[in-house]
PDB file of all heavy atoms in Angstrom:
ATOM      1  N   LYS A  85       7.800  32.134 -21.833  1.00 97.00           N
ATOM      2  CA  LYS A  85       8.821  31.269 -22.434  1.00 97.00           C
ATOM      3  C   LYS A  85       8.966  29.947 -21.671  1.00 97.00           C
ATOM      4  O   LYS A  85       9.699  29.055 -22.089  1.00 97.00           O
ATOM      5  CB  LYS A  85      10.185  31.974 -22.442  1.00 97.00           C
ATOM      6  CG  LYS A  85      10.203  33.284 -23.204  1.00 97.00           C
ATOM      7  CD  LYS A  85      10.304  33.045 -24.676  1.00 97.00           C
ATOM      8  CE  LYS A  85      10.493  34.384 -25.387  1.00 97.00           C
ATOM      9  NZ  LYS A  85      10.855  34.203 -26.752  1.00 97.00           N
ATOM     10  N   ALA A  86       8.271  29.831 -20.530  1.00 98.00           N
ATOM     11  CA  ALA A  86       8.358  28.617 -19.712  1.00 98.00           C
ATOM     12  C   ALA A  86       7.664  27.455 -20.406  1.00 98.00           C
ATOM     13  O   ALA A  86       6.697  27.633 -21.163  1.00 98.00           O
ATOM     14  CB  ALA A  86       7.743  28.860 -18.346  1.00 98.00           C
ATOM     15  N   LEU A  87       8.149  26.262 -20.127  1.00 97.00           N
ATOM     16  CA  LEU A  87       7.573  25.037 -20.661  1.00 97.00           C
ATOM     17  C   LEU A  87       6.225  24.730 -20.001  1.00 97.00           C
ATOM     18  O   LEU A  87       5.296  24.272 -20.652  1.00 97.00           O
ATOM     19  CB  LEU A  87       8.563  23.903 -20.394  1.00 97.00           C
ATOM     20  CG  LEU A  87       8.464  22.617 -21.142  1.00 97.00           C
ATOM     21  CD1 LEU A  87       8.541  22.846 -22.639  1.00 97.00           C
ATOM     22  CD2 LEU A  87       9.572  21.680 -20.707  1.00 97.00           C
ATOM     23  N   ALA A  88       6.132  24.988 -18.687  1.00 98.00           N
ATOM     24  CA  ALA A  88       4.902  24.731 -17.935  1.00 98.00           C
ATOM     25  C   ALA A  88       4.865  25.616 -16.699  1.00 98.00           C
ATOM     26  O   ALA A  88       5.912  26.065 -16.211  1.00 98.00           O
ATOM     27  CB  ALA A  88       4.831  23.262 -17.524  1.00 98.00           C
ATOM     28  N   HIS A  89       3.651  25.850 -16.201  1.00 97.00           N
ATOM     29  CA  HIS A  89       3.427  26.636 -14.993  1.00 97.00           C
ATOM     30  C   HIS A  89       2.599  25.832 -14.014  1.00 97.00           C
ATOM     31  O   HIS A  89       1.731  25.056 -14.431  1.00 97.00           O
ATOM     32  CB  HIS A  89       2.651  27.919 -15.304  1.00 97.00           C
ATOM     33  CG  HIS A  89       3.349  28.825 -16.247  1.00 97.00           C
ATOM     34  ND1 HIS A  89       3.206  28.733 -17.612  1.00 97.00           N
ATOM     35  CD2 HIS A  89       4.207  29.853 -16.025  1.00 97.00           C
ATOM     36  CE1 HIS A  89       3.942  29.665 -18.187  1.00 97.00           C
ATOM     37  NE2 HIS A  89       4.567  30.353 -17.263  1.00 97.00           N
ATOM     38  N   VAL A  90       2.843  26.047 -12.713  1.00 98.00           N
ATOM     39  CA  VAL A  90       2.070  25.396 -11.671  1.00 98.00           C
ATOM     40  C   VAL A  90       1.771  26.436 -10.598  1.00 98.00           C
ATOM     41  O   VAL A  90       2.648  27.224 -10.238  1.00 98.00           O
ATOM     42  CB  VAL A  90       2.844  24.211 -11.046  1.00 98.00           C
ATOM     43  CG1 VAL A  90       2.086  23.609  -9.878  1.00 98.00           C
ATOM     44  CG2 VAL A  90       3.153  23.150 -12.075  1.00 98.00           C
ATOM     45  N   THR A  91       0.546  26.427 -10.090  1.00 98.00           N
ATOM     46  CA  THR A  91       0.154  27.264  -8.964  1.00 98.00           C
ATOM     47  C   THR A  91      -0.110  26.346  -7.781  1.00 98.00           C
ATOM     48  O   THR A  91      -0.764  25.314  -7.936  1.00 98.00           O
ATOM     49  CB  THR A  91      -1.129  28.062  -9.294  1.00 98.00           C
ATOM     50  OG1 THR A  91      -0.871  28.872 -10.436  1.00 98.00           O
ATOM     51  CG2 THR A  91      -1.547  28.934  -8.135  1.00 98.00           C
ATOM     52  N   SER A  92       0.404  26.729  -6.607  1.00 98.00           N
ATOM     53  CA  SER A  92       0.267  25.879  -5.433  1.00 98.00           C
ATOM     54  C   SER A  92      -0.207  26.693  -4.240  1.00 98.00           C
ATOM     55  O   SER A  92       0.189  27.846  -4.071  1.00 98.00           O
ATOM     56  CB  SER A  92       1.614  25.228  -5.112  1.00 98.00           C
ATOM     57  OG  SER A  92       1.529  24.450  -3.935  1.00 98.00           O
ATOM     58  N   SER A  93      -1.021  26.062  -3.414  1.00 98.00           N
ATOM     59  CA  SER A  93      -1.425  26.689  -2.162  1.00 98.00           C
ATOM     60  C   SER A  93      -0.291  26.547  -1.150  1.00 98.00           C
ATOM     61  O   SER A  93       0.655  25.776  -1.358  1.00 98.00           O
ATOM     62  CB  SER A  93      -2.709  26.044  -1.630  1.00 98.00           C
ATOM     63  OG  SER A  93      -2.496  24.668  -1.416  1.00 98.00           O
ATOM     64  N   ILE A  94      -0.382  27.290  -0.067  1.00 98.00           N
ATOM     65  CA  ILE A  94       0.678  27.308   0.950  1.00 98.00           C
ATOM     66  C   ILE A  94       0.107  26.805   2.269  1.00 98.00           C
ATOM     67  O   ILE A  94      -1.012  27.178   2.641  1.00 98.00           O
ATOM     68  CB  ILE A  94       1.225  28.737   1.136  1.00 98.00           C
ATOM     69  CG1 ILE A  94       1.727  29.286  -0.195  1.00 98.00           C
ATOM     70  CG2 ILE A  94       2.317  28.772   2.194  1.00 98.00           C
ATOM     71  CD1 ILE A  94       1.987  30.784  -0.179  1.00 98.00           C
ATOM     72  N   SER A  95       0.868  25.986   2.960  1.00 97.00           N
ATOM     73  CA  SER A  95       0.475  25.502   4.272  1.00 97.00           C
ATOM     74  C   SER A  95       1.708  25.419   5.156  1.00 97.00           C
ATOM     75  O   SER A  95       2.702  24.784   4.776  1.00 97.00           O
ATOM     76  CB  SER A  95      -0.181  24.128   4.142  1.00 97.00           C
ATOM     77  OG  SER A  95      -0.506  23.615   5.403  1.00 97.00           O
ATOM     78  N   ALA A  96       1.643  26.087   6.298  1.00 97.00           N
ATOM     79  CA  ALA A  96       2.737  26.073   7.278  1.00 97.00           C
ATOM     80  C   ALA A  96       4.072  26.480   6.649  1.00 97.00           C
ATOM     81  O   ALA A  96       5.105  25.889   6.937  1.00 97.00           O
ATOM     82  CB  ALA A  96       2.846  24.707   7.950  1.00 97.00           C
ATOM     83  N   GLY A  97       4.038  27.472   5.771  1.00 97.00           N
ATOM     84  CA  GLY A  97       5.268  27.988   5.166  1.00 97.00           C
ATOM     85  C   GLY A  97       5.864  27.115   4.079  1.00 97.00           C
ATOM     86  O   GLY A  97       7.001  27.314   3.683  1.00 97.00           O
TER      87      GLY A  97
END
Side-chain angles (χ1 to χ4, degrees):
K85 301 280 187 169
L87 198 57
H89 299 89
V90 175
T91 301
S92 177
S93 59
I94 303 167
S95 177

